[in-house]
Amino acid sequence: MELSVLNIKGEDTGKKVNVSEDIFGIEPNTHAIYLDVKLYLANQRQGTHKSKERAEINHSTRKIKRQKGTGGARAGSIKSPVFVGGGRIFGPRPRDYGFKINKKVKVLARRSAFSAKAQSDAISVLEAFTFDSPKTKSYLNVLTSLSLVNTKTLLILSAVDSNVYLSSRNIPKAKVTTVDSINTYDLMYADRLLISESALSILETQLNK
């Protein structure tokens, strides 16, 4: 598969890059994508929720009324979940929502995500670029040139570039990441993938292991 290389002005440089069919040309495995996205979202949860059960309530332990003769149901502890101020039945406890999926499934999910975007013609390859200083306007000009200002974009760089990252951080629908930090959720969430030309070879090396 061949993709055209654009510059930051949105112009075709005339260069073409060959990308791996094993990454950008497979039949997307939707279940692998689902599992990897589910794992990502699960790992975002703090899991610090907690409510007190009856054993943890600080209250009197005396029997609140006599056993018989009141005409109502028998009752012992004021900590009982049936009373206001009592403990909660089966309340939430701190827990880790994470789970394990195999490395091969994670790799398949990323390949499937790239292939799905390629099928939708939602991938652009950009010439390597940087900024002299972090300015939101600089990155906004790049998006304007590519007609992507109101589109959810994900720019994938070969390595961390602080000036590019900081320039994009204040734009709501724009995100910048590196090849080492990509995840299936971000790939699927973006409507347009912008891949640095220098990032392609690293990407293919990582996903063809």
Side-chain angles (χ1 to χ4, degrees), residues 1 9 21 25 42 44 51 67 79 81 104 116 128-129 134 150 174-175 207 209:
M1 180 186 292
K9 294 180 181 178
E21 291 284 344
Q44 301 307 299
S51 66
Q67 179 78 350
K79 301 178 187 180
K104 288 183 178 180
F129 70 95
N150 294 315
K175 183 167 184 176
L207 296 182
K209 287 181 180 177

Side-chain angles (χ1 to χ4, degrees), residues 63-185:
K63 186 171 174 66
I64 57 174
K65 64 178 182 180
R66 62 186 186 182
Q67 179 78 350
K68 303 175 73 67
T70 61
R74 54 195 174 187
S77 173
I78 194 67
K79 301 178 187 180
S80 170
V82 301
F83 294 121
V84 174
R88 183 170 173 186
I89 304 173
F90 304 128
R93 296 180 176 183
R95 57 167 291 196
D96 178 11
Y97 281 90
F99 58 94
K100 178 186 177 296
I101 63 174
N102 294 333
K103 286 182 182 178
K104 288 183 178 180
V105 176
K106 290 184 180 181
V107 171
L108 176 60
R110 285 162 176 72
R111 286 181 182 174
S112 297
F114 279 115
S115 293
K117 292 300 179 183
Q119 287 179 8
S120 303
D121 196 23
I123 297 177
S124 297
V125 179
L126 296 183
E127 231 176 12
F129 70 95
T130 188
F131 301 135
D132 295 329
S133 60
K135 284 187 178 179
T136 302
K137 189 174 183 180
S138 299
Y139 195 75
L140 204 53
N141 288 338
V142 174
L143 295 179
T144 302
S145 299
L146 297 168
S147 303
L148 296 173
V149 174
N150 294 315
T151 304
K152 290 183 291 187
T153 58
L154 177 67
L155 173 63
I156 302 173
L157 301 174
S158 57
V160 175
D161 187 324
S162 297
N163 287 346
V164 174
Y165 170 71
L166 292 173
S167 299
S168 71
R169 198 167 56 170
N170 212 27
I171 303 173
K173 294 185 178 181
K175 183 167 184 176
V176 173
T177 188
T178 62
V179 175
D180 294 332
S181 302
I182 57 171
N183 60 74
T184 307
Y185 176 83

